Amino acid sequence: MVNHAVAEAKQTATGNGTWHYSGLNFVLLSGILIKLTGQTYAQLFATTFSTPLHLTHTRFAYETPTADMATGYHFVPATQRPGRPFVTGAALAHAELGTGQVYMDVADLYRVEAAIQTKLLTPAEKQTLFTPGSVSTYGGGLYHRTVDAANGYGYGFQSHMRISHNGQDAVIVMNNSAMGKPLLSATVQLTQMYLP
């Protein structure tokens, strides 16, 4: 995947000086780290996150499902209920590094996000990473407003995370059927009730 990204990446004058979201830089950075360390992406993830943070319910999308893993479902708006299970093919499961490739439960997600807020980055690194790239306030994977926020959709899942800047308090809502705005609205309400 990294080799494909390097071969296909092109820089053009169109859009220079404007912000555009792309996972390409993450893939390229992962490729650089793989080359420098001689470790796979999965090994780097385990060394950085899984082992030191004691993540017990974190898996890669391409791993064989186990009994404790949720199944994602297509959401059927007309019935307001989940429909058929979402089938993830091998190509899709390997298509992205990081975003869209790692599954976590609520507790593991909180551990990772709190660690990023409090101990994995220095204040200067946080300042650099979290500097918004546009008026959307998006920077370093989060929207930075009164709290830091992330939203995820894919593989029949939907998740929303809101965390205080000090990493102490969070609202995390996950669903194994991407129902869209109703779940996002509920997250906003919970955030207003529980986060300072």
Side-chain angles (χ1 to χ4, degrees), residues 2 8 19 34-35 47 58 74-75 79 85 96 103 128 131-132 134 139 154 157 165 177 192-193 195:
V2 171
E8 295 296 317
W19 183 86
I34 289 166
K35 249 192 195 303
T47 302
T58 297
H74 291 273
F75 188 73
T79 65
E96 292 189 53
Y103 288 179
T128 299
T131 297
S134 73
F157 292 92
H165 300 303
S177 182
Q192 292 168 346
M193 290 169 58
L195 289 184

Side-chain angles (χ1 to χ4, degrees), residues 115-134:
I116 290 170
Q117 294 286 6
T118 61
K119 61 184 173 186
L120 292 179
L121 301 173
T122 67
E125 290 168 339
K126 272 181 65 172
Q127 177 66 34
T128 299
L129 180 65
F130 291 167
T131 297
S134 73

Side-chain angles (χ1 to χ4, degrees), residues 11-19:
Q11 181 177 357
T12 63
T14 306
N16 274 358
T18 62
W19 183 86

Side-chain angles (χ1 to χ4, degrees), residues 112-173:
V112 170
E113 293 295 343
I116 290 170
Q117 294 286 6
T118 61
K119 61 184 173 186
L120 292 179
L121 301 173
T122 67
E125 290 168 339
K126 272 181 65 172
Q127 177 66 34
T128 299
L129 180 65
F130 291 167
T131 297
S134 73
V135 295
S136 72
T137 73
Y138 187 84
L142 299 170
Y143 293 93
H144 303 282
R145 297 179 181 136
T146 55
V147 295
D148 291 328
N151 304 298
Y153 301 86
Y155 305 110
F157 292 92
Q158 178 179 347
S159 60
H160 302 284
M161 188 270 315
R162 307 294 185 262
I163 190 166
S164 59
H165 300 303
N166 65 8
Q168 297 301 305
D169 301 296
V171 169
I172 299 174
V173 179

Side-chain angles (χ1 to χ4, degrees), residues 7-190:
E8 295 296 317
K10 293 178 180 48
Q11 181 177 357
T12 63
T14 306
N16 274 358
T18 62
W19 183 86
H20 172 76
Y21 174 82
S22 171
L24 178 63
N25 287 340
F26 188 87
V27 173
L28 297 176
L29 178 59
S30 298
I32 292 167
L33 290 172
I34 289 166
K35 249 192 195 303
L36 287 175
T37 65
Q39 295 183 338
T40 66
Y41 177 76
Q43 290 168 328
L44 289 167
F45 188 91
T47 302
T48 305
F49 297 108
S50 298
T51 302
L53 299 177
H54 309 288
L55 305 181
T56 56
H57 292 95
T58 297
R59 308 281 188 278
F60 285 89
Y62 53 76
E63 290 183 43
T64 303
T66 59
D68 65 341
M69 292 174 68
T71 299
Y73 291 89
H74 291 273
F75 188 73
V76 183
T79 65
Q80 293 293 299
R81 297 193 182 279
R84 60 187 162 76
F86 190 95
V87 178
T88 305
L92 180 60
H94 286 276
E96 292 189 53
L97 295 176
T99 58
Q101 193 182 53
V102 178
Y103 288 179
M104 295 179 179
D105 71 359
V106 170
D108 280 4
L109 179 58
Y110 173 74
R111 282 187 195 99
V112 170
E113 293 295 343
I116 290 170
Q117 294 286 6
T118 61
K119 61 184 173 186
L120 292 179
L121 301 173
T122 67
E125 290 168 339
K126 272 181 65 172
Q127 177 66 34
T128 299
L129 180 65
F130 291 167
T131 297
S134 73
V135 295
S136 72
T137 73
Y138 187 84
L142 299 170
Y143 293 93
H144 303 282
R145 297 179 181 136
T146 55
V147 295
D148 291 328
N151 304 298
Y153 301 86
Y155 305 110
F157 292 92
Q158 178 179 347
S159 60
H160 302 284
M161 188 270 315
R162 307 294 185 262
I163 190 166
S164 59
H165 300 303
N166 65 8
Q168 297 301 305
D169 301 296
V171 169
I172 299 174
V173 179
M174 295 181 164
N175 191 26
N176 64 334
S177 182
M179 61 192 305
K181 287 185 179 180
L183 194 63
L184 178 57
S185 295
T187 304
V188 169
Q189 290 175 353
L190 289 169

